[in-house]
Amino acid sequence: MQEITPEQATATPMPRIGDLAPAFTAQTTQGLINFPADYAGKWTILFSHPADFTPVCTSEFMTFATMQDEFEAYNTQLVGLSIDGLYSHIAWLRTIKEKMVFRDMKNVEVTFPLIDDVSMNVASKYGMIMPGEATTQAVRAVFVIDPAGIIRTILYYPLALGRNFDELLRVIKGLQTADAFDVALPADWQPGEPVIVPPAGSCGTAEERMTNSGDDVECIDWFFCTKELSEQQVDAAIRVS
Ligand code: BEZ
């Protein structure tokens, strides 16, 4: 098993929100991909997991694969990665389909690409190896990349804690809603709940902002104005199928 030193792990600067997603070509369970070029015009979730044939990762893959249609309805493609090889990936995904049961999920077929990153080329470029947590495995990293190839959200989870995939869907819907309506979304926002307008840089009193922004805007103070945005309006703008 290949090991990475802290020096190697920090040799490449970690990508940040707002950066262009680092480019790479890689072999996957669905063939060769050229990332992010192959995904131009789509949102992508590039995520790493520590290792094939491990229980938390298995529960994550079953959950993500089961939700794949929902992500695709919001123009979002999934791409997984671990520093295991292709034959391990194929054997693990076959075991998941043939044997694994988690919650009410079974016979789950993973059809999104899973990258073979034995060389750690991609994991190193994306800062997925955190030697304080593990020197031979990637942590649970999530990069949300927009249709222009810009990194819009980064999440990191440790080895022992599985991710919340409803939150990832909320991130996708939230980013797309913020872009489509030029708004910001408050804590725990879900589609159908009030949104914050405009996102930044406004001034004036609450009264002035309400007057200038139209009837549907409500301000509690000059810096905190909201408006209603129904789930139907959100879906009409961002849902593609
Ligand atoms: C897991 O996916 O179950 C796992 C992977 C690496 C370390 C701990 C747990």
Side-chain angles (χ1 to χ4, degrees), residues 50-51 54-58 60 137 140 159-160:
T54 52
V56 178
C57 301
T58 298
E60 289 193 319
Q137 297 176 323
R140 300 180 197 281
L159 301 191

Short mmCIF file of all heavy atoms in Angstrom, two decimals, residues 50-51 54-58 60 137 140 159-160, ligand 1:
data_model
loop_
_atom_site.label_atom_id
_atom_site.label_comp_id
_atom_site.label_asym_id
_atom_site.label_seq_id
_atom_site.Cartn_x
_atom_site.Cartn_y
_atom_site.Cartn_z
N PRO A 50 -12.29 6.66 1.60
CA PRO A 50 -11.01 6.09 2.05
C PRO A 50 -10.62 4.80 1.34
O PRO A 50 -9.46 4.65 0.94
CB PRO A 50 -11.20 5.86 3.54
CG PRO A 50 -12.32 6.78 3.93
CD PRO A 50 -13.20 6.91 2.72
N ALA A 51 -11.55 3.86 1.22
CA ALA A 51 -11.15 2.56 0.66
C ALA A 51 -12.37 1.75 0.24
O ALA A 51 -13.44 1.85 0.85
CB ALA A 51 -10.36 1.77 1.70
N THR A 54 -15.07 -1.24 2.61
CA THR A 54 -15.15 -0.75 3.99
C THR A 54 -16.62 -0.35 4.24
O THR A 54 -17.32 0.07 3.30
CB THR A 54 -14.23 0.46 4.23
OG1 THR A 54 -14.49 1.43 3.23
CG2 THR A 54 -12.77 0.07 4.22
N PRO A 55 -17.08 -0.49 5.48
CA PRO A 55 -18.53 -0.38 5.69
C PRO A 55 -19.12 1.02 5.52
O PRO A 55 -20.19 1.16 4.91
CB PRO A 55 -18.70 -0.87 7.14
CG PRO A 55 -17.35 -0.84 7.76
CD PRO A 55 -16.35 -0.98 6.66
N VAL A 56 -18.46 2.04 6.06
CA VAL A 56 -19.03 3.39 5.93
C VAL A 56 -19.09 3.78 4.46
O VAL A 56 -20.11 4.30 3.96
CB VAL A 56 -18.22 4.42 6.75
CG1 VAL A 56 -18.80 5.82 6.56
CG2 VAL A 56 -18.19 4.05 8.23
N CYS A 57 -18.00 3.50 3.73
CA CYS A 57 -17.95 3.82 2.30
C CYS A 57 -19.05 3.07 1.54
O CYS A 57 -19.68 3.61 0.63
CB CYS A 57 -16.60 3.46 1.70
SG CYS A 57 -15.22 4.32 2.49
N THR A 58 -19.28 1.82 1.92
CA THR A 58 -20.34 1.04 1.26
C THR A 58 -21.70 1.70 1.47
O THR A 58 -22.47 1.87 0.53
CB THR A 58 -20.33 -0.40 1.83
OG1 THR A 58 -19.06 -1.00 1.52
CG2 THR A 58 -21.45 -1.23 1.25
N GLU A 60 -22.23 4.79 2.06
CA GLU A 60 -22.24 6.06 1.30
C GLU A 60 -22.52 5.81 -0.18
O GLU A 60 -23.32 6.51 -0.80
CB GLU A 60 -20.90 6.77 1.44
CG GLU A 60 -20.65 7.35 2.82
CD GLU A 60 -19.46 8.31 2.83
OE1 GLU A 60 -18.44 7.99 2.17
OE2 GLU A 60 -19.55 9.34 3.47
N GLN A 137 -4.84 6.55 2.77
CA GLN A 137 -6.22 6.64 2.30
C GLN A 137 -6.62 8.10 2.15
O GLN A 137 -6.11 8.96 2.88
CB GLN A 137 -7.17 6.01 3.34
CG GLN A 137 -6.93 4.52 3.55
CD GLN A 137 -7.82 3.96 4.63
OE1 GLN A 137 -8.09 4.61 5.64
NE2 GLN A 137 -8.29 2.75 4.42
N ARG A 140 -12.81 11.78 3.41
CA ARG A 140 -14.08 11.91 2.68
C ARG A 140 -14.22 13.36 2.22
O ARG A 140 -14.78 14.19 2.94
CB ARG A 140 -15.25 11.51 3.57
CG ARG A 140 -15.15 10.09 4.06
CD ARG A 140 -16.31 9.68 4.95
NE ARG A 140 -15.94 8.49 5.70
CZ ARG A 140 -15.94 7.25 5.19
NH1 ARG A 140 -16.34 7.04 3.96
NH2 ARG A 140 -15.57 6.22 5.92
N LEU A 159 -12.51 9.91 8.44
CA LEU A 159 -12.75 8.52 8.03
C LEU A 159 -13.98 7.91 8.71
O LEU A 159 -14.73 7.17 8.10
CB LEU A 159 -11.52 7.65 8.35
CG LEU A 159 -10.19 8.06 7.71
CD1 LEU A 159 -9.15 6.96 7.92
CD2 LEU A 159 -10.33 8.36 6.24
N ALA A 160 -14.17 8.27 9.96
CA ALA A 160 -15.16 7.53 10.76
C ALA A 160 -16.59 8.04 10.62
O ALA A 160 -17.51 7.43 11.17
CB ALA A 160 -14.74 7.58 12.23
C1 BEZ B 1 -15.24 2.82 6.40
O1 BEZ B 1 -15.60 3.29 5.30
O2 BEZ B 1 -15.95 2.07 7.03
C2 BEZ B 1 -13.93 3.24 6.97
C3 BEZ B 1 -12.88 3.48 6.13
C4 BEZ B 1 -11.66 3.84 6.67
C5 BEZ B 1 -11.52 3.96 8.04
C6 BEZ B 1 -12.60 3.76 8.87
C7 BEZ B 1 -13.83 3.37 8.33
#
